[in-house]
Amino acid sequence: MNNLEVPGRLHSWDVSTGVDGPGTRFVAFLSGCPLRCLYCQNPDTWRMRDGTATTAGAVLDTARGFAAFARTTGGGMTVSGGEPLLQPAFTRALFAGAKELGLHTALDTSGALGARAGEDLLDLTDLVLLDIKSWDPAHYRRLTGGEVRPTLDFARRLAARGTPVWVRYVLVPGVTDDPGDVDGVAGFAAGLGNVERVDVLPFHRLGAAKYDRLGIPFPLRDTAPPDRDLVDRVRDRFRDAGLVAY
């Protein structure tokens, strides 16, 4: 099977600037995710079977229309989710096609399934947007339903390869704002040597309507977004560790 024929399940696609990697990006959102994060804004991506059956070639045909502009802006293709490493062969095929289009590639992942990323996939990956959701194992489990160790192992593997990483940290008041937890993530990230920046992402409730449509309770419906002072304080803790933080 050639790369263009590799099947996958696609939730949606979009074109974005400044949030999914450098420049203007064609972003493919794949279906399926093993985690159930309390603050997830896209519960409609959880189940792979809810996505649209497609092929890498069909997605790349769509991306081709934006490729010239993406190259001009220093952008490229980002594969996100859901969790793209639930579909590693499909993700690899998309990146192989993106490279043929001359596009920079970025993998947006929790790292929970990092062991599924083969060396052939990582060889095609220019940047990893890595969500480190918590440092404390027990807290990570309560927050996501998963284990933090696979994410940390994947981060160390990326560091050993020298793959550039942007760490993402979702800031939820009363949930992920504990200074010890933040400092744990910051110290770990600073010690890797390949983390180019940290994006502190303020929690929001824009996905609440999706939960309503799906008939799923939104656990953080009554949680307010962080105020500017809290966001600045958390960014400063990452900066104090020697990291560039936004």
Side-chain angles (χ1 to χ4, degrees):
M1 181 184 299
N2 66 44
N3 285 326
L4 298 181
E5 296 172 337
V6 173
R9 288 273 177 175
L10 181 73
H11 173 267
S12 58
W13 64 268
D14 200 359
V15 176
S16 71
T17 301
V19 283
D20 298 293
T24 298
R25 320 284 304 177
F26 176 88
V27 185
F29 297 96
L30 307 194
S31 291
C33 184
L35 302 181
R36 295 294 181 266
C37 302
L38 295 181
Y39 52 66
C40 180
Q41 298 297 314
N42 298 297
D44 48 337
T45 68
W46 287 350
R47 301 189 302 181
M48 194 183 301
R49 66 178 180 269
D50 290 339
T52 300
T54 186
T55 64
V59 177
L60 289 163
D61 282 343
T62 303
R64 189 171 288 108
F66 302 93
F69 182 64
R71 289 193 299 268
T72 300
T73 66
M77 173 184 285
T78 298
V79 179
S80 184
E83 172 51 65
L85 293 181
L86 201 59
Q87 302 185 61
F90 188 47
T91 299
R92 185 201 174 282
L94 291 174
F95 279 176
K99 286 299 184 184
E100 292 179 2
L101 294 173
L103 297 177
H104 175 278
T105 57
L107 176 68
D108 184 3
T109 176
S110 70
L113 300 178
R116 296 193 181 188
E119 294 300 303
D120 54 348
L121 168 55
L122 295 180
D123 285 343
L124 294 166
T125 304
D126 294 316
L127 173 68
V128 174
L129 309 174
L130 184 62
D131 296 318
I132 303 181
K133 302 169 187 292
S134 175
W135 177 249
D136 177 76
H139 185 231
Y140 189 96
R141 195 176 306 114
R142 290 192 298 270
L143 180 63
T144 71
E147 304 297 324
V148 70
R149 178 174 295 232
T151 294
L152 303 183
D153 289 345
F154 186 52
R156 294 185 185 101
R157 182 177 165 207
L158 295 172
R161 291 177 51 89
T163 302
V165 166
W166 291 7
V167 167
R168 290 180 155 188
Y169 189 80
V170 179
L171 178 58
V172 186
V175 180
T176 63
D177 58 349
D178 178 77
D181 208 17
V182 174
D183 289 347
V185 175
F188 174 76
L192 292 172
N194 62 327
V195 175
E196 296 184 340
R197 60 187 275 177
V198 176
D199 290 314
V200 176
L201 306 176
F203 164 75
H204 59 76
R205 295 176 293 197
L206 299 179
K210 295 182 180 180
Y211 284 84
D212 293 339
R213 287 198 300 271
L214 294 170
I216 302 172
F218 182 28
L220 301 183
R221 183 180 297 275
D222 298 326
T223 300
D227 60 31
R228 171 55 60 182
D229 286 345
L230 178 57
V231 174
D232 287 343
R233 288 200 304 273
V234 170
R235 285 176 177 154
D236 284 343
R237 297 192 86 92
F238 282 104
R239 292 169 182 149
D240 289 343
L243 296 160
V244 176
Y246 294 93

